[in-house]
Amino acid sequence: MARMISAWTVSPEASDSSVALALWRAYYTEVSDRWFQVHEGRDTPVDDLEREVVASNDHVTLAPPAGMLLVGRYGGAPAGTAGVHLLNGNGNGNGNGHGHGAAQAEPTELAAELKRVFVLKEARGTGGGPALLTAAEDAARALGAHIMLLDTRSDLTEAWSLYERNGYERTVPHNHEPYAERWYRKRL
């Protein structure tokens, strides 16, 4: 039996808080293990995981004034995250140093990038993904964005399925992230 979305609350969280860091460690463990299982038939080596967690620690981009981290709580316990950060102001993805200007936005439109949408396994199927996504879109609008961009991997089917169900359209790459295989955009 699915639980109600109303059991979820989503609020801003300091991007370097112990809650955020614990959720990001769970996120990176899962997505890294998925990649290693597909490509090498094993979980992520501990040293590789630690390097990835450190290398991916871009929490500064998810802090005000140009970003925001949201933590979703299910039944009061931290159970998911979503981050938003503004790009360079013209919607082309160049603000994070990875873009190449092909995100199909008007030159005057401000774009935000959606990052680290994640729900703990034990809370999946309870409405957390849609709750986090809605809150992230609201946060992007509050930051002044007109377009949301994101990237994901092809094997993260739950993620891209969530995006497509919620109005995101596949688009051309807006960055050169090494593991990105699918790019999306949505007008806010």
Side-chain angles (χ1 to χ4, degrees):
M1 176 184 216
R3 295 178 187 98
M4 302 294 290
I5 286 178
S6 62
W8 279 88
T9 59
V10 180
S11 59
E13 177 87 19
S15 59
D16 59 352
S17 74
S18 61
V19 168
L21 296 174
L23 287 166
W24 287 345
R25 179 169 294 284
Y27 165 81
Y28 283 112
T29 299
E30 182 174 337
V31 298
S32 183
D33 281 353
R34 280 191 187 192
W35 189 91
F36 270 90
Q37 284 294 335
V38 167
H39 297 282
E40 297 187 15
R42 62 187 173 103
D43 286 343
T44 311
V46 174
D47 290 346
D48 288 356
L49 180 60
E50 289 305 312
R51 272 193 305 277
E52 186 64 25
V53 168
V54 170
S56 299
N57 189 4
D58 63 351
H59 63 266
V60 173
T61 66
L62 301 179
M68 184 179 298
L69 174 69
L70 302 163
V71 167
R73 287 175 170 75
Y74 182 69
T81 64
V84 175
H85 73 93
L86 294 178
L87 297 175
N88 69 350
N90 68 5
N92 71 12
N94 288 331
N96 63 5
H98 302 293
H100 58 65
Q104 303 170 344
E106 295 301 317
T108 59
E109 293 182 312
L110 186 61
E113 186 172 33
L114 183 65
K115 303 293 287 182
R116 299 185 187 187
V117 177
F118 174 70
V119 174
L120 292 172
K121 286 181 184 180
E122 57 270 21
R124 291 185 187 149
T126 63
L132 286 160
L133 190 56
T134 297
E137 291 170 357
D138 290 345
R141 283 185 203 94
L143 291 170
H146 300 100
I147 293 174
M148 184 81 86
L149 303 172
L150 66 94
D151 65 69
T152 190
R153 292 188 340 221
S154 294
D155 65 317
L156 300 177
T157 57
E158 303 94 331
W160 56 261
S161 178
L162 171 70
Y163 304 137
E164 290 177 2
R165 283 192 317 270
N166 286 278
Y168 285 79
E169 298 175 347
R170 296 237 1 225
T171 188
V172 297
H174 66 272
N175 62 28
H176 298 291
E177 294 295 332
Y179 298 107
E181 297 169 322
R182 297 173 76 104
W183 291 264
Y184 290 88
R185 74 185 300 272
K186 180 179 180 180
R187 182 165 297 284
L188 299 174

